[in-house]
Amino acid sequence: MRQRILKALRSWMAAKGLDGILVTSPHNRFYLSGFLAEDMGIEESAGALLVLRRQHLLLTDGRYREQAEREAPGWHVIVYKNLAQGVREAVEGLGIGSLAYEPRFLSCAAMRSLEKALPGVRWMDSKGFLDGKRAVKSDAEVEAIREAIAVAEEVMEEAGKRVVPGVIERELAAWIVQELSVRSQGPSFPPIVASGPNAALPHAVPGSRTVAPGDPVIIDLGARVRGYCSDMTRTFFAGGPGGRMAEVYRVVREAQVAAIEACVPGATGRAVDRAARQVIAEAGLGEFFVHATGHGVGIAVHEAPSLSKRWRRALRPGMVVTVEPGVYLPGEGGVRLEAMVLVTDEGPVELTGQGGYLQW
Ligand code: GLY
Ligand code: MN
Ligand code: MN
């Protein structure tokens, strides 16, 4: 797979008249090379790739040399003191005139240093070429995602059993992190456990709240396997739904099913979003659905495509997306249900199973 991507990248470089590309996105770095180091934010990168017409180099610092050589066979590993110096030495004498770069994954400070170190180079925004490629998964990538889902589902099933009055959000979240860490490469994002009124916050941070009878409890978690993520949400009730939550739940589930059915090749992200939004609006809850319907998942937990109003491009076979409508009632609680779906020529394939959905 990696050879094929490298080839496609070089064809793109040739078409754009580029001598190379500097890859600083950790996701694209892994996608192309297999080097699975974590960055500590944009200012503490574990390295970059420099793909030229005839060479491909992995530039990193001394801490990662061994890991890079092991995980990225076929890449020439260069140990640098800093990125600008590493790139300058790597291209010295090669007559490089133009390089693409990834502005979302390069600080302004690093860019200035690069410009200073390589005064003859013209820099061009890569415009997310590799991010676009990543949206369509190979069979091997789908297999890794399936394994990440299997772990998430095991943990979700057990977590659901722990949703009882008296449990504390943070304790349940800590248990989830531990289980994901033991069973996979770890959580694909910090899990969410949001109970009662906290369930009205789509990205609530687990806190010290004790779950009370009738509370909705939103659990959103994912695992990482061989570098690939899962992302799923279920809403449980401690003892049974309180207030109007059972009705809200039914609406959200209906919206989710409608949107999953809409995940077919050729449909735009906007159309899938509309399918979910329409069901929720018809139930009079439209103003409480405050986020997009879903997003691509792969090496990054959030990646292309987006199932939202602003995504007018079509879904293609091989894309893996979440479908996660939610209704959030301030001060009261909320419901979100999140599935993962593979887009195929034969229609949507739900990669997450039917476990954890409630019926009354
Ligand atoms: N876990 C964040 C999300 O569902 O997008
Ligand atoms: Mn999620
Ligand atoms: Mn999600």
Side-chain angles (χ1 to χ4, degrees):
M1 178 191 97
R2 296 203 162 96
Q3 286 305 319
R4 185 173 51 76
I5 303 159
L6 205 50
K7 211 170 149 201
L9 182 62
R10 286 198 165 115
S11 302
W12 171 81
M13 280 162 39
K16 298 279 176 195
L18 287 160
D19 296 316
I21 177 171
L22 181 65
V23 176
T24 47
S25 145
H27 308 118
N28 291 336
R29 188 180 66 205
F30 172 71
Y31 185 52
L32 279 169
S33 74
F35 178 44
L36 188 56
E38 294 263 346
D39 288 8
M40 311 266 259
I42 199 168
E43 269 300 326
E44 225 193 295
S45 164
L49 305 179
L50 183 63
V51 178
L52 305 174
R53 292 187 186 212
R54 268 177 287 278
Q55 303 175 51
H56 44 282
L57 317 167
L58 194 164
L59 302 108
T60 186
D61 67 68
R63 296 171 299 175
Y64 297 101
R65 178 205 290 267
E66 196 182 333
Q67 184 184 347
E69 285 171 348
R70 194 172 57 232
E71 293 179 342
W75 287 76
H76 182 52
V77 175
I78 293 184
V79 173
Y80 60 46
K81 286 198 184 63
N82 62 65
L83 183 65
Q85 168 259 330
V87 176
R88 180 169 49 77
E89 288 184 17
V91 305
E92 209 138 64
L94 297 180
I96 300 291
S98 59
L99 290 173
Y101 72 110
E102 300 182 306
R104 288 171 55 232
F105 293 92
L106 195 61
S107 69
C108 293
M111 190 68 226
R112 288 207 185 104
S113 301
L114 282 164
E115 284 171 336
K116 219 163 134 193
L118 297 132
V121 171
R122 189 172 54 84
W123 293 91
M124 196 194 94
D125 185 343
S126 72
K127 298 248 171 76
F129 173 75
L130 286 167
D131 306 75
K133 281 262 157 227
R134 270 178 28 223
V136 174
K137 273 69 183 173
S138 68
D139 292 348
E141 290 180 294
V142 172
E143 185 47 37
I145 290 170
R146 281 186 188 276
E147 288 177 36
I149 289 173
V151 174
E153 290 192 315
E154 282 169 25
V155 175
M156 183 66 86
E157 188 181 346
E158 291 180 37
K161 292 180 191 151
R162 289 164 186 257
V163 175
V164 290
V167 73
I168 295 167
E169 289 178 1
R170 247 201 304 252
E171 286 179 6
L172 184 48
W175 177 86
I176 289 169
V177 169
Q178 176 178 306
E179 289 304 307
L180 291 169
S181 305
V182 169
R183 299 175 200 216
S184 73
Q185 288 173 320
S188 53
F189 59 91
I192 295 170
V193 176
S195 69
N198 294 344
L201 284 66
H203 271 190
V205 176
S208 56
R209 190 174 181 283
T210 303
V211 172
D215 272 355
V217 180
I218 293 179
I219 300 184
D220 187 348
L221 58 82
R224 192 184 291 273
V225 170
R226 296 200 298 280
Y228 285 82
C229 299
S230 54
D231 179 14
M232 67 181 294
T233 305
R234 295 291 183 266
T235 302
F236 301 97
F237 291 92
R244 46 181 171 155
M245 283 298 154
E247 183 50 27
V248 169
Y249 191 102
R250 272 191 285 271
V251 172
V252 172
R253 179 73 173 129
E254 195 187 319
Q256 190 195 30
V257 170
I260 290 171
E261 281 170 8
C263 289
V264 294
T268 60
R270 185 184 174 87
V272 178
D273 182 70
R274 198 185 314 119
R277 215 161 285 284
Q278 204 166 338
V279 172
I280 293 175
E282 278 167 12
L285 295 167
E287 68 183 288
F288 304 112
F289 178 18
V290 293
H291 54 70
T293 294
H295 53 85
V297 188
I299 297 167
V301 73
H302 288 172
E303 59 181 42
S306 166
L307 304 182
S308 68
K309 272 182 208 152
R310 66 189 162 78
W311 195 272
R312 291 164 188 270
R313 277 173 273 169
L315 295 185
R316 289 162 59 193
M319 288 182 165
V320 173
V321 293
T322 66
V323 176
E324 50 176 312
V327 166
Y328 308 92
L329 305 173
E332 212 173 317
V335 172
R336 178 168 68 257
L337 299 170
E338 178 174 29
M340 286 177 66
V341 176
L342 172 65
V343 179
T344 78
D345 281 324
E346 286 73 47
V349 173
E350 253 184 278
L351 298 177
T352 39
Q354 299 306 303
Y357 290 119
L358 307 176
Q359 275 179 323
W360 296 276

